[in-house]
Amino acid sequence: MPTRSRHAAAAIIAEVDEQDEAGQQALHFNEPLSWRAGKPIPIADLLRRLGTLLKELREFEQEENDRASLTKVAKELAGHHLLAHKDKGVRASTACCLVEILRIFAPDAPYTGAQLKDIFTLIITSILPALSDPSNAYNNQHMHVLQSLAQVKSVILLTDIPSSESLIIHLFTSSFDILSGTSKSSTGEQLGRNVEYHMTAVLVILVNESTQLPVEVVDVILAQFLRADPRILTAGGTKGKRNGTDPSADERQSTLLLKEIPPAYNMAKTICNSCPEKMARYVSQYFNDVIMDASSSVTNGAAKSRSHRKGSTGKDTSDDEGHAGPTEEDLKDLHKAHRLLRELWRASPGILQNVIPQLEAELSAENLQLRLLATETLGDMVSGIGAAGPPPAPVLDPAAYPPPTLDSHFDSLIPPSILTTPSSPQPFPQVYHVAYHSFVNRKHDKSPIIRSAWTTAVGWILSTSGGGIGLSPNDERQLVKDMATMLVDADERVRVAAVKAIGLFSFHDIVVKLGSIGGVDKEGSVLCNLAGRARDRKHAVRAEGMMTFGRLWGVAVGEVADGNEAVITALGSIPSKLFDTFYVNDRDINVLLDHVLFELLLPLDYPRSKTKGMRNGTSISQGGKNNSQTNGGAEKESFDWDKIRTERLLQLVKGLDLKAKKAFFAVQGRQVQLANIMQGFLKKCEEYNGGVMDSGEAEIKTQLTRLINYFSEMFPDSSKISSDLWKFAKAHDRRNYQLIRFCMDPTSDYRTVVKAIKELRKRIETQPGSASSILETLTPLLYRISLLIYNKSHIPAIVELSRTDEKGMGQTSHEVLKQISTRHPEVFKAHVKELCRILQDQAPTSTNPGDPGAIDTLKACAAFSSRYPKEMPQDRNFLQSLMQYALYGNPPVAAKYAVTIILALPEKREMYAKDLLQKSIKGFEYGSSHFLTRLATLSQLVLLAPKEAEEENDAILDIALKEIFLKVRTSTRNDGEEEQQQTWVEDHEVDDECNAKIWALKVLVNRVRSHPDSETLKEASQRVYQLLNTLISKGGELSKNQDTPLPHQSRFRLAASRLFLKLCTSKPHDELLTPKGFNRLAYMAQDSVLPVRSGFMARLKKYLGQGRLSHRFYAIVFLQAFEPKPDLREGTVTWIRARARFFSQKKNTVMESLFARLLSLLAHHPDFSTSVEDLTDFATYILFYLRPVATEENLSLIYYIAQRVKQTKDAIDPEKSENLYYLSDLSQEIIRRYEDVMGWSMQVWPGKMGLPSSLFGPIGDHDLAQEIATKSFLPEELVQKLDGIVKTKPRQKRKSEALEMDSTNPVKKKPRSSPPTNSSTTKSKPKPKSKHQPSSTRSKSTATTNFTPPRSRKPPAKGRARKGKDVDDEEGDNTNIPSSEIRRSTRTVASGRQVKSYAESTSASDAEDGDADMMDEDGDEAAEEEMEDDDDVGDKDVEEEQQDGEETAIPIRGKQQNHKPKKSQRQPEKKSDQADEALPDHISSDGDLSSPPPSDDLESEAEAVESD
């Protein structure tokens, strides 16, 4: 044996030497690896031998080796015994040796095709799948096989094997399964990164080297991109489910997104990016099979068999089924393919170069579903949105504190997933310009569904900046303009989509991107059109628009308060636009605005920390407010929450324009009345006792029904509201009653009110039954009755800001304080002493004028003292400070408020009154120090202390008349021509003489107002009435020398007319105003100076709205038919409509009966003549009356009154009776034609109505009366013109206007319940000689005969009336025309330009007032200055502040002293955006429900705001 061993060793050494000499490496391993059947090698030995062989093979180089020495081993390794061995270790070691053999023999393998197939079968089906378990004992061997395949690229041999498609498919499938993590080790150990790296390399090699990949492989690769789809992620988590996931997976799981990109996704992405050309071909073919085949199925109705999809269906679709339309499976395939396209664009856009044209072709497909999918897909591709869907929309929290800034980046509190982060690797518009252009053109698609999807897509494109890669300035600007257009699309679905798309933007993008083409006030901009959606005719659009609009301001309020010009320009006007919607008079809009106000503009829980809620809404104990204060001390933080909230409230009020501010204050003023009624409702609920009553059951139910009906009429669905309130009453939860009382209690602080609302909501939600419906009903009602705005918690901050003027909120603070003191004095009680202390500290002296801002504090205290005089301080120091205000206050109006407070206090009232009289009169001299203040004090003393003032009557009259009023100290005789033409100056430019004379005039008028004896009133007031009439008739001229300055004359006319109105608010004084004096006063509505007539009209409408003037004054407002200022004229029309609606609801015929007064007023008009030209002009007045007042129900009454006028004579001036007859005939002709135009049918008015005896008298002579009744006074030429005048169509509305609501023609929610009238019973042929009455109703006494109004003899004219050219392009308010050049309405103006006829220039705009069915976007009432009325403060004079206005002189008709705007000189009617507005009527403060409930208008309330 030793000898043999030595020989063997020598042989080996010799062999090695021989090998070295040859320079080739030979295999030394010579142990057998195969065996005969029945004699297997033990597994341990076999593993050892394979290990030894592997170790030696690893040392072999590819080039310098003896391959012949490897032939035997290579053959044994490919044997069936090893490849199919039952032991995993043996198979793993065998695979390792095999890949080493392939490495050594590369590029040629020492195996046949069949052997290679067996080898790769082992590797693909056994070795590589085992990599999914890193804890496997043979994981190193498995990894060695994978590395070798990737590094040596021996996997290429797989492509040379015949029929290897199944192996390739299995390799790709198992590889993606491994990386998808569907199989994990028992220990939970994760795969290493090297597995993904090497496996990706193997697959890339196969794709590159394969001449044609199997279709299933392409499917597998592309399916990996859908792993980004949350529906795929949550539905298919097991092996084999990647292509067969259930598309109906729960959509709610879509938020469970991966934190990072899956490895399988990355591997597929690398494959596509590494082989772009080949994969582009495969992907193109894939989509050609999937998309185009599915498209063909949808288009032709033929479901084709697809080879690569047959496994999913199991059978082909027969021809008989092919024409049934797209199957559900077809649609699923389409959606899946388009989702895949989105993700492929994000991952590997280079492979889609052949697919984009196919997608572009789908944009023009006839089938709606294909176009929709293509539009959505292309939009998402441009936005960089993948299969996971879009990112979460930014969280715009209006209650967050501190509010976001323009540069802040925490708009979204939800961190986006990497799969939902928009990412576009290339700028799609530049790379595929043609396809992008086709996509943009989808905005004109005929289908609103496509336009809606396109709008949403554009929203994402803009908000993501084209997937984060950016858009060109031109593309971005064009898309923003397109977004603005979509907001006014004709279809409501598109408008809703556009509004929702705006919610996709962050605060920064809204200002910078959407605001780039203009803010809320810029017509045609995105934000302006969004404002229009707040009053859209469709509820869905309206609700979405208002909530989005309000949320924008709620987020922007911080930047607005800081004065950021960009934000203010873009979003600053949002509150005004929102509160303007109240004028639409739609109950649904009003409810929406309640939600917007208290959930977005002033959220209940503001300020709320961005990380956690500000406070917890814990339950309130029975001790409500006291308990809340205790809790407040425990939860006190470093911030003054009440002040923060108050600043936001004041910022809201500060940003409101005049019209919106009136609505805001009116809404808050309504709270008191509604709270009173709610108290009654709760009391009746307690008496109702859930339906169990001991006595008075019928009465209690009746009263409760009336209260519930009252509340129901305030909301859109009255039946639902009534049902819910009955459920609330039957529940009989006393705790709920108490919580509602907490909300209304003036002593409740803000936290108490909010916590009460929250607890009430929770209690209702927990109740069984329809809790959600009751809560939906109670929420807006709670908002309206709760003290959320005028709360006692806000008063200290408002008082402080009024003193310090911090952040420029001083003026606004004073405004709000004034409103609180006037409308909610109970809330004001606790803080009035603080205000009085401020007044005391700021009191003026003879040398120190004091703080001018004190006037607002004085005004608030004066209003409060008139209601609660005992709550005011009574100490001597405070009264002395008020005396100083009365003697030295500046401006002089401060003296009036000070006197009002002094005389409201019961202590020593007479003593202080006498003291003030003595000090004001003693040594009075014009021009002396504080002489205007002393005059103001005298004017208030004669009103509030007439008994004391009577003792100094002579001295007071000497001062007012001789010293002030009758002396002209400023003459215009020597003034230059330019100054003489000036007719109005601003308030701050009014000189002392003019102010002094106005104060003196008030002294005289207040003496009359306070006259105690009604029997001697006429004698005492005669001189004052004569003086006021003289001022009006002479145009304000006081001097016999005619040298009073024109600005003074304008001020005197305005003051005289207002004081006349104030006198007439008292019935005894009203009776002293004669019909002639009334007519003279009425023509002030046509004064030549704009501020004069607008100031007069504002005061007139306010007093009428408050019910303080007699009904005859309503006739004056119709004289504004020729008002040249569009805003003023349209504002009057709106006001008339509101009042007409108010009286109609009250079943009152005030507006109808005053038609006779209007005809009398017109009959005495200085411009009246019987010429065709002038009668045509006077038809304007009648149409101006009819359009806002006439309805189908009351038209017969108006016609009856027009007839009755012809049966009387003029009682003012009988010589002008014929004027009445002309107007009577003219009215009847117009009414009949108006009936035809409106398509109405007049019925016989069955009643009788008398005419005012002061204006109309009996004719007396029967024959004369008969002659007048049968005579037609109108010229035939005029009758022929009336058809064109009355039937002129209104102007066409803008596209955006046509989508909006107004109060004239609101959206009809229910059809009319009354049946149509049978026209055959109402029409009758008029007789030739009497067109006024048919013979069937005629009797001997024509004065009292009922009538059947005849129909017009001619059918309504078709087509539009001829439209004339505008007279002027600019307003002529600053033009004075001498009386010598004043012309009639059809003559040329002084400038030589031709004016148009009434039919050409006025009828269209007049018709618009009555027939327009849309509300304009920017409708603003005439800019009326808020004029305070002293009567609201202690029922006495609180300063009526002069209205500001530009110097204006309108050409007048007739004599210049009449001061009427000439009809011919009216400015061209600019397109007015004035809404057909109406505000809710007054709610009785005592809760009286005897009259019908209001229509939720704000008109009366808004008018009342001016008087505060």
Side-chain angles (χ1 to χ4, degrees), residues 1243-1271:
Q1243 305 296 320
V1244 176
W1245 193 72
K1248 296 181 180 180
M1249 178 174 289
L1251 302 183
S1253 59
S1254 60
L1255 303 180
F1256 305 95
I1259 296 178
D1261 189 337
H1262 177 73
D1263 294 336
L1264 178 59
Q1266 188 68 24
E1267 179 185 351
I1268 292 172
T1270 57
K1271 178 183 177 181

Side-chain angles (χ1 to χ4, degrees), residues 130 146 190 406 511 672 698 957 1231 1476:
L146 177 63
Q190 298 294 324
L406 200 59
V511 176
V672 176
L957 290 178
I1231 290 172
D1476 296 330

